[in-house]
Amino acid sequence: MLQVRLRGLALDQSGSPVVILEVDKSNKGFGIWIGPFEAESLAIAVSGKDFPRPLTYDLFSSAVLAAGGKFDRVIIHSVQDNVYFANLHIIDSGGESIALDARPSDCLVLAVKNSIPVFVEEKVYEESAISLENLQQEEGERNEDPEAFKEFVSQFDIEDFKRYLKKKRDKDEDSSS
Amino acid sequence: MLQVRLRGLALDQSGSPVVILEVDKSNKGFGIWIGPFEAESLAIAVSGKDFPRPLTYDLFSSAVLAAGGKFDRVIIHSVQDNVYFANLHIIDSGGESIALDARPSDCLVLAVKNSIPVFVEEKVYEESAISLENLQQEEGERNEDPEAFKEFVSQFDIEDFKRYLKKKRDKDEDSSS
């Protein structure tokens, strides 16, 4: 397994949020399309801001801890038709690790909130990782306003990224047919 | 404490979702404004529909159970400036009940999904409960009480509701860009 880190968050031209994950020190990674609610939650989690009322993932985190569990790790274990599948690993009150079927979007928000590592299986990396070299990101620059999600984080051109993904997929399909 | 049941989901005149809670057998209750994501999640939970991928509250529920906990009850304990405050009670792996600060919206989705009861403190009932008698009016008729819900559907169609929410979100996104 390979560890990944959150490289950025962006909106594609149709306004759909994409989270960019980078495999450690490889300059290669993935773009995972997520829902607007999850994207906003991720932006808030990354910003580290506290809100007066506990938001959904705050309550989620505190409920698991209150139950006697711990967040352990996230494993993105497979990809099919550009949909990624993950397991959220919880350590139960008896110390046993339990893998739960989960969407990467939920997992990533929880990973950021609870400071747990995110891994990707080698086969997923081999099947779908692409070069992230073209993604220009000024490290450390971060939009602190969760309302301004549309201007969030990365400085890369998401359309280039999508074209890159499409080109790669088309090429893969051609070569596999 | 008084037990409440979910009477309906409605949209106010500005298109914001409102959940209507009724105190058992009293024909009195509350309208709690919730976010569109929570409203959609609540509509899905009420519908009992399964989705191919676990949604946020599915994962939330399975994670608490996997950790060794149980969902116990929800208590809406206070209201201030029309904002309601709740506790989600979790029974931990040792059998102890733990009260977590929570928004009613999250609590209600979890209550429906996990079949746990929802209670309201008497003081909240006394301070803010209104008659729900007018909710038996035909759909589309307006409630004349300015403190009451401007628009409602007590026998709501979840699919219509979801479409409405989606339309509103798209519109909001367009107008904010």
Side-chain angles (χ1 to χ4, degrees):
Chain A
M1 283 192 301
L2 303 158
Q3 193 161 354
V4 292
R5 71 180 185 92
L6 185 62
R7 168 81 178 255
L9 198 49
L11 294 170
D12 71 12
Q13 213 163 31
S14 71
S16 300
V18 188
V19 55
I20 312 290
L21 295 177
E22 182 179 13
V23 176
D24 267 5
K25 295 168 193 166
S26 72
N27 219 8
K28 288 181 81 176
F30 315 87
I32 300 183
W33 270 255
I34 65 178
F37 173 78
E38 292 83 354
E40 194 178 336
S41 298
L42 187 57
I44 292 169
V46 168
S47 80
K49 271 197 179 171
D50 279 331
F51 283 76
R53 306 294 300 129
L55 303 181
T56 303
Y57 292 97
D58 300 321
L59 182 64
F60 191 150
S61 301
S62 61
V64 167
L65 300 181
K70 279 182 194 163
F71 291 95
D72 183 22
R73 60 178 60 197
V74 170
I75 299 176
I76 299 169
H77 59 77
S78 53
V79 54
Q80 198 168 7
D81 300 331
N82 216 27
V83 177
Y84 290 82
F85 297 82
N87 281 331
L88 171 65
H89 287 251
I90 296 279
I91 296 175
D92 72 10
S93 54
E96 198 174 332
S97 181
I98 296 170
L100 301 170
D101 181 29
R103 294 174 305 147
S105 52
D106 284 329
C107 289
L108 291 170
V109 185
L110 293 165
V112 171
K113 286 200 77 65
N114 295 283
S115 305
I116 58 168
V118 179
F119 298 94
V120 60
E121 292 278 9
E122 271 90 348
K123 64 177 180 186
V124 175
Y125 178 77
E126 284 158 17
E127 277 172 30
S128 67
I130 59 159
S131 170
L132 299 180
E133 266 173 30
N134 293 332
L135 302 187
Q136 301 295 324
Q137 187 192 25
E138 290 178 33
E139 290 296 338
E141 197 174 312
R142 183 180 286 173
N143 194 325
E144 295 296 337
D145 180 4
E147 293 300 317
F149 171 63
K150 290 184 179 181
E151 296 161 11
F152 193 76
V153 185
S154 316
Q155 300 302 313
F156 63 82
D157 184 333
I158 193 62
E159 285 312 308
D160 274 354
F161 184 69
K162 273 184 79 177
R163 277 193 289 275
Y164 193 109
L165 280 178
K166 190 178 179 310
K167 209 166 137 188
K168 183 180 180 297
R169 269 201 305 272
D170 291 348
K171 199 177 146 196
D172 288 352
E173 277 163 17
D174 284 349
S175 62
S176 67
S177 60
Chain B
M1 283 192 300
L2 303 158
Q3 192 162 353
V4 293
R5 70 179 184 92
L6 185 63
R7 169 80 178 256
L9 260 179
L11 295 166
D12 72 7
Q13 236 164 9
S14 73
S16 299
V18 188
V19 54
I20 297 160
L21 296 177
E22 182 178 14
V23 176
D24 268 4
K25 294 167 192 166
S26 72
N27 218 10
K28 287 181 82 176
F30 315 87
I32 299 182
W33 270 255
I34 65 178
F37 174 79
E38 292 83 355
E40 191 176 336
S41 297
L42 186 58
I44 291 169
V46 168
S47 78
K49 276 188 185 168
D50 278 332
F51 284 75
R53 307 292 301 126
L55 302 181
T56 303
Y57 292 96
D58 299 321
L59 182 64
F60 191 149
S61 301
S62 61
V64 167
L65 300 181
K70 278 182 194 163
F71 290 95
D72 183 22
R73 61 178 59 197
V74 169
I75 300 176
I76 299 169
H77 59 77
S78 53
V79 55
Q80 198 168 8
D81 300 332
N82 216 27
V83 176
Y84 290 81
F85 298 81
N87 281 331
L88 170 65
H89 287 251
I90 296 279
I91 296 176
D92 72 9
S93 53
E96 198 174 332
S97 181
I98 296 169
L100 301 170
D101 180 29
R103 294 174 305 148
S105 52
D106 283 329
C107 290
L108 291 169
V109 185
L110 293 166
V112 171
K113 287 200 76 67
N114 295 283
S115 305
I116 59 168
V118 179
F119 298 94
V120 60
E121 293 279 9
E122 272 89 349
K123 63 177 181 186
V124 175
Y125 177 77
E126 284 157 17
E127 277 172 31
S128 67
I130 59 159
S131 170
L132 299 180
E133 268 173 28
N134 291 336
L135 291 186
Q136 286 163 354
Q137 291 171 337
E138 283 178 32
E139 184 180 320
E141 264 186 64
R142 295 281 157 76
N143 191 319
E144 297 304 323
D145 182 353
E147 291 302 308
F149 324 112
K150 291 171 184 163
E151 204 172 292
F152 52 78
V153 275
S154 59
Q155 297 297 318
F156 61 91
D157 180 315
I158 285 158
E159 289 310 313
D160 272 355
F161 186 68
K162 280 177 68 178
R163 275 192 291 274
Y164 194 105
L165 282 178
K166 189 182 179 307
K167 212 167 134 191
K168 184 180 180 297
R169 261 205 309 271
D170 292 347
K171 203 177 140 197
D172 287 352
E173 276 164 17
D174 285 348
S175 62
S176 66
S177 61

